[in-house]
Amino acid sequence: MKSHIYLIPCPIADEALHTLSPSILEAVKQCEVFFVEEERTARRFLKKIWRDMVIDNYEWVVLNKENNLKAIKTFINVGKTIGIISEAGCPGVADPGQDVIKVAQEMDCIVHPLVGPNAILLALMASGMNGQHFQFVGYLPIDIGKRIAAIKALEAESTQKKSTQIFIETPYRNNQMFQSLVSHLKPTTLLCVAAEITSPNEFIKTMTASDWKSNIPELHKKPVIFLVLGL
């Protein structure tokens, strides 16, 4: 009997359960084991969507631990139905989970990606930038010199290929990243700042780097996606 693996999205903002598909609850009810990024918050999330869930009836494995791959192989070999949950958004997309999903694919499991919010795609949708050609590059370097070089390289590639460049930063360094962008991008390059997506304080705005200099947002400790498109 083949194992079924459900990739379970979480809200990307507090109190945003309305962004989840009803199919997620039905999938959760099929699971016997959960691989999670943080056990405490995953348990709390599941109790929110399924109040009658008996948490202690399930087995729990924390993602990104050394025993992950051994554990999932063991569960797959006995035909368990497994749910994978990261902290926010979709497992395996700028979030933990891809290593165990890779094993599931190699062992010929049936993998079910479930519909849910993903900040990368939501920001791209709202940016007005090129949605036909884009790339997500994760985090840029912390070192200021390397960061500036990375910004200029991404801008040059974006201009040449008409490709939207998408990246993130640790929330407490968002303001520094914003300043680096408006200081070192060309004045006509488009910059989108997408903050607190799906929350009541959602802010998504696209302007030229030049125009941003007189419209500086406060981004400290907020979840933010940055998008750049060179013209």
Side-chain angles (χ1 to χ4, degrees):
M1 181 178 177
K2 288 186 178 182
S3 280
H4 288 251
I5 314 294
Y6 289 96
L7 309 183
I8 301 169
C10 284
I12 57 177
D14 292 339
E15 307 304 326
L17 290 177
H18 64 280
T19 62
L20 300 180
S21 165
S23 65
I24 290 175
L25 176 57
E26 296 307 311
V28 167
K29 290 181 177 181
Q30 303 301 314
C31 294
E32 301 164 278
V33 181
F34 292 99
F35 280 69
V36 301
E37 186 174 354
E38 294 286 346
E39 187 172 337
R40 180 179 60 85
T41 51
R43 286 171 177 247
R44 187 167 66 237
F45 160 63
L46 292 177
K47 285 293 284 186
K48 283 183 178 179
I49 65 171
W50 185 14
R51 185 173 300 178
D52 296 329
M53 182 182 188
V54 181
I55 293 292
D56 292 336
N57 286 352
Y58 299 85
E59 298 186 74
W60 302 83
V61 180
V62 177
L63 290 165
N64 286 347
K65 299 293 185 181
E66 290 184 3
N67 66 340
N68 277 351
L69 302 187
K70 181 179 179 181
I72 196 165
K73 289 177 182 178
T74 299
F75 290 126
I76 289 171
N77 283 330
V78 295
K80 293 281 189 179
T81 298
I82 299 165
I84 299 177
I85 308 173
S86 57
E87 278 295 275
C90 302
V93 181
D95 263 341
Q98 65 226 31
D99 290 343
V100 292
I101 298 167
K102 180 175 181 290
V103 171
Q105 288 285 359
E106 291 170 349
M107 296 182 70
D108 198 29
C109 298
I110 301 172
V111 179
H112 304 273
L114 300 177
V115 174
N118 180 276
I120 299 167
L121 292 180
L122 293 174
L124 179 62
M125 289 166 63
S127 70
M129 295 182 177
N130 191 350
Q132 302 296 322
H133 191 187
F134 58 91
Q135 67 173 346
F136 175 68
V137 297
Y139 293 89
L140 302 192
I142 296 174
D143 176 81
I144 186 64
K146 293 180 180 178
R147 179 193 298 170
I148 292 170
I151 288 170
K152 289 183 177 295
L154 289 173
E155 181 184 43
E157 182 178 359
S158 176
T159 302
Q160 179 185 5
K161 297 181 179 179
K162 304 303 179 187
S163 172
T164 303
Q165 306 286 351
I166 309 170
F167 48 93
I168 54 179
E169 180 55 279
T170 302
Y172 67 84
R173 288 199 293 263
N174 281 333
N175 286 339
Q176 294 93 320
M177 173 60 75
F178 178 84
Q179 288 297 337
S180 293
L181 289 166
V182 298
S183 297
H184 298 285
L185 291 172
K186 294 178 181 178
T188 57
T189 292
L190 293 177
L191 169 63
C192 178
V193 176
E196 299 183 282
I197 298 174
T198 73
S199 81
N201 299 316
E202 179 179 87
F203 172 84
I204 306 173
K205 188 70 175 177
T206 300
M207 292 191 288
T208 64
S210 177
D211 286 341
W212 273 115
K213 290 181 179 181
S214 57
N215 294 274
I216 300 174
E218 176 51 60
L219 304 174
H220 187 57
K221 291 188 176 180
K222 296 179 180 180
V224 176
I225 303 283
F226 297 97
L227 304 90
V228 167
L229 181 62
L231 299 179

